[in-house]
Amino acid sequence: MRPFVLLLTGLLALPAVADAQDIALPPAVRQRLAAQATSLAPRLVETRRDIHRHPELGFRETRTAALIAERLRSLGFDEVRERVGVTGVVAVLKGGRPGKVVAIRADMDALPIPELIDVPYKSTVPNVKHACGHDGHVSIGLGVAEVLASMRAEIPGTVVFLFQPAEEGDPDGGLSGAQRMLDAGVFAGPVPTAVFGLHVLPTLQVGTLGVNVGAAMASSNRFTITITGKKTHAAYPHTGIDPVPVAAQVVSVLQTIPSRMNNAAEPIVVSVGTINGGNRFNIIADSVTLTGTVRTLSKDGPARVRAWMERAVKGVTDASGATYTFDWPTSGNPVTFNEETLAAASLPVLADVVGGRANILSPPPQMGAEDFALYQQKMPGLFFFLGVGNTARNITAMIHTEYFDMDEAALPIGVRALSSVALDYLYRK
Ligand code: NI
């Protein structure tokens, strides 16, 4: 029955007939959200371009945060807290009817990447660019705030907005924005029972959304391995212990973790990003340092890979008489995991936003990581992808590149999707 209904839906281009019964949000509210998001479109573009012209690196988003706080205050938010987790902004919108508490998160930081696209809203800061689309996320977050503020009397519950710094990590090597906001008591006010967020994705065409039930993005852990040998003259290596060939063997053995030790059905990545050691061509180095990253898609993946790595490093260094240190900070990101019940319950209203299930794609989980996962350690959360690519307009460059841009027609879709999914959660029993 269901496939038949879906087929008819596709043929007649009706919005998600099969899903309508599963949407808690009343049709009149959905129509209003759609109309408001459409009328906001020029303002969303203007806000996104303003922030795009003035990108700020992690924990330095002072202009962006001030713009956000001012806008939220002008919308009549009950509580706007600034400098939460260095530069974060937290704001609370209490609806006119009792109900649950839901959080919406948007990240604010840019990247140390030069802007190479020639557009009127080009970055004015040398070598800093909103190359991950967080300018769009802020614009969408403010759009959601505006739409929901206009209907607050009818909202059954409370919405907490989290404008988060430093999603890309601390440029100075410390904890990322989500952790710093959590440490700063981001949920000191009303405590949400679900959190929603989105990320623009140029590999998805504008008009589509990407939703994963379960793992959406990988865990990420940084590691540092230092192998210490014994320095000597390079003509007499037998009088020392050379850490360079030991490091070479360690790099090789680490490659066997994904390929030989791990179950091939569970994707993992072990990448060595830097290797440094020695100071002259004719001196055996005293030590070599390797740094890298590990990505997994399972909750127990990081611990498993860590144990394999340490065993491999210990075995190789023991065999050569060298010593090692293995540093694995606990501050990595867990898997961005969309809890199944919440994800499944959210799909019908998201399908309604984009005109049917055909426009909801389920891309393979990303091996990139997100500190949104840290909020999901506290409560169920849904992190979904907003299509911003447009091959016909040649908007195809990947995030984190000098040429990244987005089709701004996606901005009102993002506002509609995020406000609909949060309100649908509040309306749901
Ligand atoms: Ni990003």
Side-chain angles (χ1 to χ4, degrees):
M1 190 63 197
R2 209 168 173 88
F4 177 66
V5 176
L6 283 172
L7 180 65
L8 271 182
T9 303
L11 286 173
L12 302 173
L14 290 172
V17 171
D19 284 323
Q21 66 209 22
D22 301 321
I23 302 175
L25 197 59
V29 181
R30 278 184 267 149
Q31 280 159 19
R32 196 165 147 197
L33 288 176
Q36 282 191 288
T38 304
S39 69
L40 265 184
R43 191 165 160 83
L44 296 171
V45 169
E46 190 188 316
T47 304
R48 182 256 163 168
R49 291 185 177 189
D50 179 13
I51 296 167
H52 194 90
R53 278 190 202 98
H54 304 101
E56 296 171 302
L57 295 175
F59 297 129
R60 291 150 178 80
E61 308 94 333
T62 48
R63 181 187 183 275
T64 310
L67 182 154
I68 291 165
E70 194 242 275
R71 189 80 71 85
L72 294 172
R73 288 202 178 96
S74 75
L75 290 169
F77 272 62
D78 302 296
E79 190 192 319
V80 180
R81 281 193 289 154
E82 293 180 75
R83 291 179 285 282
V84 181
V86 190
T87 43
V89 181
V90 181
V92 177
L93 184 73
K94 289 197 181 98
R97 291 160 49 199
K100 296 185 276 191
V101 182
V102 68
I104 291 175
R105 178 274 212 164
D107 44 6
M108 311 187 290
D109 54 322
L111 283 161
I113 293 178
E115 175 105 282
L116 294 187
I117 49 168
D118 193 16
V119 287
Y121 47 91
K122 194 170 176 169
S123 167
T124 58
V125 185
N127 298 316
V128 182
K129 168 181 165 77
H130 266 294
C132 201
H134 300 183
D135 49 342
H137 301 171
V138 171
S139 169
I140 289 168
L142 287 173
V144 173
E146 188 161 345
V147 167
L148 297 190
S150 78
M151 55 174 68
R152 65 185 300 173
E154 301 142 63
I155 295 177
T158 299
V159 187
V160 180
F161 286 81
L162 315 174
F163 287 93
Q164 184 208 297
E167 189 283 320
E168 304 286 355
D170 180 359
D172 300 322
L175 299 172
S176 79
Q179 189 61 57
R180 298 278 273 271
M181 285 188 91
L182 287 164
D183 292 347
V186 65
F187 300 128
V191 180
T193 48
V195 57
F196 293 95
L198 58 71
H199 204 295
V200 300
L201 200 59
T203 51
L204 298 179
Q205 293 298 291
V206 63
T208 65
L209 298 175
V211 183
N212 297 95
V213 179
M217 297 188 77
S219 65
S220 69
N221 287 91
R222 196 183 272 216
F223 63 83
T224 302
I225 299 164
T226 300
I227 297 156
T228 302
K230 188 177 167 214
K231 190 182 245 181
T232 188
H233 193 303
Y236 309 94
H238 63 288
T239 62
I241 297 171
D242 189 352
V244 170
V246 180
Q249 287 176 64
V250 165
V251 172
S252 297
V253 174
L254 293 184
Q255 303 316 302
T256 68
I257 290 175
S259 66
R260 304 290 87 173
M261 298 181 203
N262 184 58
N263 180 345
E266 297 173 26
I268 65 167
V269 174
V270 179
S271 288
V272 176
T274 70
I275 175 162
N276 286 290
N279 56 2
R280 201 168 195 279
F281 75 98
N282 61 355
I283 300 174
I284 297 293
D286 52 357
S287 69
V288 174
T289 298
L290 315 169
T291 67
T293 185
V294 169
R295 308 298 170 108
T296 83
L297 292 176
S298 58
K299 287 177 184 171
D300 65 340
R304 219 164 354 117
V305 176
R306 178 187 175 163
W308 283 330
M309 287 179 71
E310 188 144 20
R311 188 178 70 180
V313 175
K314 182 176 189 314
V316 171
T317 48
D318 278 356
S320 65
T323 58
Y324 73 95
T325 58
F326 182 78
D327 183 40
W328 177 286
T330 52
S331 55
N333 288 319
V335 176
T336 302
F337 191 87
N338 293 332
E339 190 264 326
E340 289 91 343
T341 313
L342 181 69
S346 302
L347 276 168
V349 80
L350 289 175
D352 182 59
V353 166
V354 288
R357 290 262 178 161
N359 289 323
I360 299 262
L361 306 165
S362 187
Q366 310 280 314
M367 295 314 283
E370 244 296 336
D371 70 359
F372 183 85
L374 293 167
Y375 304 115
Q376 291 176 315
Q377 301 289 296
K378 309 282 178 197
M379 69 196 81
L382 178 71
F383 191 72
F384 60 96
F385 300 101
L386 175 67
V388 295
N390 189 330
T391 43
R393 292 184 52 205
N394 204 25
I395 301 174
T396 56
M398 194 48 180
I399 48 174
H400 288 220
T401 70
E402 295 87 339
Y403 296 96
F404 171 72
D405 200 2
M406 64 179 75
D407 187 329
E408 292 165 326
L411 297 173
I413 301 171
V415 168
R416 206 178 143 195
L418 210 45
S419 48
S420 299
V421 82
L423 276 189
D424 190 55
Y425 175 77
L426 291 182
Y427 272 84
R428 207 177 306 136
K429 292 285 172 266

